[in-house]
Amino acid sequence: MPEVPTSIFDQVFIQETRVRRRKLMPKALKVYVWVFMVLPVLMLAATLYARWRFRAFTPELMSDLWYIINLVLAILFPIMRIAANLFIWLEKRWAILVALVVDFVFISFQAFSMYTLYASGVSNLSVVVITAFWLLIDIPYIIMLLKIKGSWEQKGYATNELSDIYVK
């Protein structure tokens, strides 16, 4: 005896009513996601190369606590940024929240770093201007994330086109 479906809607109908989360993203946000996945890789490579090139891994420096903290953060921030944007591209339900938290931490650290460098006299105004420029680039990204956050986290969006299961 054939099994009788419990719904009047077949799977094709349900599949067509689902919307991919990626379709909610404006083109500018898609560009930001790709830029924020590629740029941190380049920043990480440049940081590690510069520290290797200028012999910044000497035992004297490695014993300095501030140097170790700086090195860990220089490696950790790009990795967090790559992961947050990768989760957005993979259409994870919680990815927008993670990206907002990572961006808030990144902006807070950058602002603190910019202030301390300029206030201590170690840096000149050009470093502050460059850092402020990168902070200003983050503002449209945050606004776009906040605009789609509500609809992104709703149930009923497919994780990919071949999915037969609703995102819970």
Side-chain angles (χ1 to χ4, degrees):
M1 184 168 180
E3 209 169 298
V4 178
T6 59
S7 172
I8 63 170
F9 302 110
D10 59 352
Q11 287 292 57
V12 175
F13 177 78
I14 293 172
Q15 186 72 15
E16 290 175 359
T17 60
R18 294 188 190 147
V19 178
R20 290 193 63 182
R21 287 190 174 109
R22 206 172 291 158
K23 288 188 178 185
L24 296 173
M25 295 169 55
K27 290 193 187 303
L29 183 58
K30 290 177 185 177
V31 170
Y32 266 108
V33 167
W34 277 104
V35 165
F36 286 152
M37 278 194 292
V38 173
L39 195 60
V41 171
L42 298 175
M43 289 170 47
L44 184 61
T47 299
L48 293 176
Y49 174 75
R51 290 174 191 265
W52 170 78
R53 174 77 170 96
F54 298 113
R55 312 272 189 260
F57 292 115
T58 61
E60 297 83 27
L61 284 176
M62 295 304 283
S63 65
D64 185 18
L65 179 63
W66 288 112
Y67 180 79
I68 296 295
I69 291 172
N70 187 6
L71 181 64
V72 168
L73 291 177
I75 293 171
L76 186 65
F77 279 139
I79 291 172
M80 288 178 8
R81 195 105 193 216
I82 293 166
N85 287 289
L86 182 64
F87 291 140
I88 289 175
W89 194 251
L90 295 176
E91 302 178 31
K92 300 297 181 186
R93 186 173 176 189
W94 39 265
I96 299 293
L97 182 62
V98 169
L100 286 170
V101 168
V102 166
D103 216 39
F104 175 74
V105 169
F106 180 75
I107 287 174
S108 300
F109 179 74
Q110 286 289 89
F112 176 74
S113 176
M114 181 175 60
Y115 170 74
T116 55
L117 282 175
Y118 187 70
S120 66
V122 172
S123 173
N124 57 11
L125 188 60
S126 65
V127 173
V128 174
V129 170
I130 291 170
T131 306
F133 170 75
W134 285 110
L135 291 177
L136 289 176
I137 286 178
D138 275 343
I139 292 172
Y141 176 69
I142 293 170
I143 291 170
M144 285 185 271
L145 288 179
L146 289 172
K147 281 185 177 181
I148 69 165
K149 184 178 182 296
S151 58
W152 183 278
E153 294 175 347
Q154 289 178 358
K155 290 185 180 180
Y157 288 99
T159 55
N160 60 34
E161 291 183 56
L162 303 175
S163 175
D164 289 332
I165 302 171
Y166 281 106
V167 177
K168 295 178 182 176

